[in-house]
Every structure is written in structure tokens, then in C-alpha cells.
Amino acid sequence: MVFRTVLGLILDCPRVDILLVPSSGNPIEQINDTQVIQYLKVVGKREKYITSVCTGSLILAETGLLDGYKTATHWAYQEVLSFYPQVTYVDKRVVVDRNRISGGGVTAGIDFALTLVAELSNRERAQHIELLFEYDPKPPFQTGNPHTDPRQLKKNVQANVRKLAPELFRDRSKG
């Protein structure tokens, strides 16, 4: 299956078990690219797992592949999911809803990957990888949680995200 996108990219993908949609600070180009969305719809209907990390969930929401499912996304973008009423945002680092698995922000991607390994293989293998990676985060400033960080810092980060991706926060269904 080959698709040529509006951006000129050629998407050619053999059948895989896992569709993983990654993130970016502003995924509006992918959301607005009808060829990317159509490709993901087609591929997503045949794959065993539909997954995303961070704002990749916004792209999946646009495809309709998250309709009726719960998902995570980066906290600063959660409001964008309100434009997709069939999708339920869950404020967790990793959300598993049947065959949909999503991770919140960038560092939640590690938690997501370990969860996916446990799902595909087993818990022991995921624990092995966690130890191999020496995954034991200890953030130096303890401001990585939007529920516990200083209020002004959270406002500043949200303002920066809105500057980076203003079109994401506008309801595109109204034209």
C-alpha cells in the first residue's frame, strides 16, 4: 500500500502488528494532511495494536481510530482532545484501553514502551529492560508533574505551547 502525502512523502508500509504514532510540538501538518490521515485509517483498521505517544494521540483522534477509547496525551495539549468528543482523555502517564495504548508526555514514552513490551511479551521481560536501562528517574527539580509544579510555571509552559501550536487550539470543525 503506497500513499503520496500532500507534503510529498511516500508512505509505504508492510503489514505490521503495531501502529505507533509519534509526537511533535505541533502536529497540525499531519492532522491536516488528508493522505496521512487516510493512510493511518487504513493501516489502523488491520493492526493488532494502535498506539501513540504524547501528541500522537491528537493525530489518531483525527483519524477516528480513538473514537470510543480512552487515551493519554501531553497535559498541555489535553484541551485539544475536547474537539474529538468520541475520545476520552485520561490524566495518566500510560493508558491501556483494549488494543489502544497511549503515553502522555515525552518521558512517559519510556513508561509506554515498557508497558507495550509487557503487553507483547511479559512483565518479566519488561522488568528486565527497565533494569537494563537503569530506569529510575529522579528529576532534579521535581517540576515535571503538572499537578504539583508551581502554578506560574504551568501557566508559562501552557502559554508557550499555545504559541508553538495556536491552530491546534482552534476548533477546526467550524471552518
Side-chain angles (χ1 to χ4, degrees):
M1 170 181 2
V2 177
F3 281 81
R4 184 170 299 277
T5 73
V6 173
L7 301 174
L9 302 172
I10 296 176
L11 302 176
D12 184 10
C13 183
R15 180 153 185 147
V16 295
D17 290 331
I18 304 165
L19 171 62
L20 169 61
V21 179
S23 67
S24 71
N26 186 353
I28 197 68
E29 282 189 61
Q30 293 79 26
I31 288 170
N32 287 339
D33 188 326
T34 57
Q35 291 296 312
V36 168
I37 297 304
Q38 182 59 33
Y39 180 80
L40 291 174
K41 284 180 181 181
V42 170
V43 171
K45 288 181 181 172
R46 65 180 194 194
E47 305 315 337
K48 186 172 181 180
Y49 293 96
I50 311 301
T51 70
S52 63
V53 177
C54 199
T55 60
S57 62
L58 305 179
I59 300 167
L60 277 179
E62 183 67 23
T63 68
L65 291 169
L66 290 181
D67 288 0
Y69 289 88
K70 297 174 186 171
T71 192
T73 197
H74 187 284
W75 67 267
Y77 295 83
Q78 71 183 29
E79 169 186 337
V80 178
L81 284 172
S82 68
F83 298 130
Y84 304 96
Q86 300 300 317
V87 179
T88 302
Y89 168 72
V90 179
D91 185 13
K92 291 174 68 176
R93 290 178 60 82
V94 177
V95 173
V96 178
D97 186 356
R98 294 162 279 167
N99 71 331
R100 296 336 192 233
I101 304 174
S102 55
V106 174
T107 63
I110 297 171
D111 299 356
F112 158 85
L114 292 168
T115 301
L116 186 58
V117 167
E119 180 77 22
L120 296 172
S121 181
N122 58 56
R123 183 181 176 101
E124 185 178 322
R125 179 160 293 159
Q127 289 172 327
H128 178 96
I129 293 169
E130 184 176 305
L131 180 57
L132 180 66
F133 287 178
E134 198 176 346
Y135 181 52
D136 185 22
K138 293 182 179 39
F141 305 108
Q142 299 299 313
T143 55
N145 184 326
H147 302 294
T148 60
D149 65 356
R151 187 179 183 114
Q152 188 56 49
L153 178 60
K154 184 176 176 180
K155 285 182 181 181
N156 292 346
V157 169
Q158 185 67 63
N160 286 337
V161 164
R162 286 177 170 277
K163 285 180 191 172
L164 175 67
E167 52 283 297
L168 278 178
F169 292 88
R170 287 193 289 268
D171 187 348
R172 292 172 306 284
S173 69
K174 294 179 182 172

